[in-house]
Amino acid sequence: MAAIWATALILVAAGVNVAADTNDLGVNWGTLTSHPIHPKIVVQLLKDNGFKKVKLFDSDPWMVGFLAGTGIEVMLGIPNDQLEFLSEAYGNAKDWIKENCTAHLRKGGVNIKYVAVGNEPFLTSYKGRFTKTAFPAMKNIQKALNEAGVGGKIKAVMPHNADVYESKSDKPSDGVFRSDIKDLMNQIARYLKNNNAPFVVNIYPFLSLYLNSKFPSDFAFFDGGHPIQDKNVQYNNVFEANFDTLIYALRTAGAPNLTIIVGEIGWPTDGHKEANKANAKKFYDGLFRVLASDKGTPLRPGKMDVYLFGLFDEDTKSIEPGNFERHWGIFDFDGKPKFAMDMSGEGAHKELVAAKGVKYLPKQWCVLVSYATDQWLIGEQISWACSQSDCTALQDGASCFGLDSKRRASYAFNSYYQMNNQEDNACDFKGLGNVVKEDPSTDSCKFNTQIKVDGASRLSFANGAISVLVSLVTLFILL
């Protein structure tokens, strides 16, 4: 995920193909969490809040099945670790479509519109790992869809990070696909054009701020300020500049009118000084105004097809890109809305509808015992607890960074305790932990109590959550 380029651009293009309406918003439903909300509850949440589209990162049949009969348009996901398997033999793709896609296509079934093959497979940080397998996998999936008789209705797509294109001048009119994958991306763009499928791109203005301390903060939002001039076009925000940089790259690739879907866009609410609820609300309010206006961008006026990222905070996501990665949700981990959102873009700041039927563990917390004095042992236990739970809110600039040393230890202990379902031995910490009934939260720092997860839900999502936890061996020095 990343939108790195800020810039500008020119003229309007004929044959505009940008779809969707502010009342037709999509949202990303990720499941990299230790305690996933039951899919039945999530689907009701989508319906209650008027989401007409949902983008998934896998295709768990049990989870997808709850979308049957809702009419919600679905983008299934294929993880990057399956690309090689799907690229090496057409039969593998054919079986995948039969088991994960067409099995849901019946009267009253799931309204599948796209199959997302991979997720940002050409990120620079992957160092070319998927460049030989992603495109062949996508072609095999589309061929399987065609042979199943649904290729006209369901399209194979590939969500891309905005770092697949670049501009030497930081202006949209110099937009081209990244030099190391230019030929490959040109081929993909033409393939999508010939197959009447959209180009899916993830754009994150937040990352422009995160990656560049000198980046003008108001350019990341939609309120104007620090405009960029590109020939006879003025850009007032990085989103429009980034989007139009892609259009120039597509022109160079021979697909100037290719439909574009913004597969991910959002703002995190914790884990960094710029990641907070106030900034997130400001960003979304501006985004929704732009979407409601149907003005599009200078090169692509009209309605835009947009999926918000994301639905919930995910406490087992990799934090390699940054501590904010676990805080992209417009809802908290338990399905409670973080702030009022004007999805109509008309100034009606309404509260989102919270998830219904979520059950919690008892209202109790694990904290540092009051008589603890061994600072070395306390630090050791904090690091151990954080390496196996989520302490991103304790990091510099985050919501709990200002806690005193004892409360910081308590936060770390409680994070581990809740992630482990409040088990008795999860609040030991070599005698330093103690379970209390009084909420230790402060005005700025929330000490959570975790939700209950039934066996079926735990089993369904276990593989994803556990694999992430095993891979995250990150020790925090918090005292």
Side-chain angles (χ1 to χ4, degrees), residues 11 106 111 151 192 219 234 325 333 381 422 457 463:
L11 294 174
R106 60 183 185 278
N111 180 22
L192 293 170
F219 197 62
Q234 178 174 293
E325 276 296 324
F333 71 99
Q381 292 303 298
Q422 299 184 358
S457 184
N463 291 338

Side-chain angles (χ1 to χ4, degrees), residues 67-88:
L67 289 159
T70 64
I72 295 173
E73 187 179 288
V74 178
M75 184 185 296
L76 296 178
I78 297 177
N80 291 335
D81 61 9
Q82 296 183 29
L83 295 178
E84 182 176 2
F85 174 74
L86 294 172
S87 69
E88 60 189 10

Side-chain angles (χ1 to χ4, degrees), residues 4 6 40 42 52 97-98 110 156 183 272 274 287 341 343 348 354 361 366 370 392 433 471:
I4 300 175
K40 183 177 180 180
V42 177
K52 302 296 195 304
I97 289 298
K98 181 179 179 181
V110 181
D183 290 342
H272 184 264
E274 299 288 354
L287 174 65
M341 294 183 75
M343 291 195 290
L361 296 175
C366 179
S370 59
T392 52
S471 67

Side-chain angles (χ1 to χ4, degrees), residues 125-143:
S125 59
Y126 290 153
K127 299 180 179 178
R129 179 181 172 189
F130 304 109
T131 54
K132 295 184 184 301
T133 57
F135 189 28
M138 183 169 74
K139 289 190 288 187
N140 280 343
I141 287 294
Q142 187 62 58
K143 180 180 178 181

